[in-house]
Amino acid sequence: MKKLVVLSGAGMSAESGISTFRDAGGLWEQYPVEAVATPDGYARDPELVTRFYNERRRQLQEVEPNRGHCLLAEMEREYDITVITQNVDNLHERAGSSHVIHLHGELMKVTSSRQPNNPAYIRELKPEEWEVKIGDLAADGTQLRPFIVWFGEAVPNIEVAVEYVEQADILVIIGTSLNVYPAAGLLHYASPRCEVFLIDPNEVNVTATHHPINLIRKGASEGVKELWDTLKG
Ligand code: APR
């Protein structure tokens, strides 16, 4: 089976009803990113940050994977697929994708405020446990924090992601503005023989690559359908 690697961003989940970050009306227009997605913001106002992620978690219970997520899961019949996602939702998993690497953490997981990447403290919440309260503690006695990679923090999964991209026969970038590093740099690890597709209804500024890119200017659902048809030839 050919190795197909997906790099997905917020646009992947847009058709499920989850806002993107940088489109008009996106999340970063509604909330100051420094306040809700940085370690400093969390130190300054943990209540606000906890409420922000509670709201994201509550919303996640109300949405479903879209056709694009589902088609990617179905494509596992024909391809060896690894999904590398910047998304913190669990819609790839809920659609049935079996190998998902989250670069920016996972909304349905919580961890220690002191050692967020220590596996001993990372815990998956059940859907009904979406509301975290100030005073809820991790196993090390610190306040439970979202298992989210904030701006300014290291991205522990980037190395394993690079390895998958290097080995890919096909790389499919879906619904990301490629503004945030190191995720945006993953394309540069694609080997010269790797076929690259980019699915996005809007123009994406792909910086400094000589790699030919097959553009599919469609939303995720239609775009993944077109991708599969194109690959079938
Ligand atoms: N289908 C596919 N793509 C879409 C759709 C759709 N229906 N609707 C919008 N898009 C595209 C937009 O054109 C844009 O290129 O999705 C992209 C969303 O870009 P961003 O909002 O910047 O999201 P993303 O690239 O995932 O952001 C990266 O920034 O703040 C952070 O940590 C957060 O993981 C996130 C990271």
Side-chain angles (χ1 to χ4, degrees), residues 63-84:
V63 303
E64 298 292 334
N66 63 55
R67 192 80 198 114
H69 294 109
C70 295
L71 281 173
L72 286 175
E74 278 181 46
M75 285 174 77
E76 291 190 6
R77 292 202 308 261
E78 293 174 24
Y79 298 90
D80 173 2
I81 301 188
T82 300
V83 176
I84 302 169

Side-chain angles (χ1 to χ4, degrees), residues 9-11 15 21-22 28 86 104 151 175-177 180 200-202 219-220:
E15 290 159 24
F21 295 97
R22 295 175 184 79
W28 295 155
Q86 298 167 85
H104 295 161
F151 284 97
T176 171
S177 62
V180 173
D200 201 298
N202 303 306

Side-chain angles (χ1 to χ4, degrees), residues 84 101 156-165:
I84 302 169
I101 298 171
N157 279 341
I158 196 67
E159 280 161 32
V160 63
V162 164
E163 284 171 25
Y164 279 100
V165 172

Side-chain angles (χ1 to χ4, degrees), residues 100-140:
V100 183
I101 298 171
H102 286 270
L103 292 176
H104 295 161
E106 295 174 65
L107 210 38
M108 291 312 291
K109 291 185 179 170
V110 286
T111 187
S112 145
S113 289
R114 194 183 302 131
Q115 290 185 58
N117 294 314
N118 185 334
Y121 303 129
I122 300 168
R123 186 164 76 77
E124 179 142 17
L125 297 170
K126 299 194 187 79
E128 64 274 17
E129 294 177 313
W130 58 269
E131 189 168 21
V132 172
K133 299 196 172 67
I134 296 295
D136 290 349
L137 303 181
D140 64 348

Side-chain angles (χ1 to χ4, degrees), residues 5 16 20 25 36 40 77 91-92 103 136 146-147 149 169 172 179 211 225:
V5 172
S16 294
T20 61
V36 297
D40 279 358
R77 292 202 308 261
L91 297 178
H92 282 298
L103 292 176
D136 290 349
F147 182 58
V149 175
D169 300 303
V172 186
N179 267 300
H211 219 113
K225 172 85 178 57

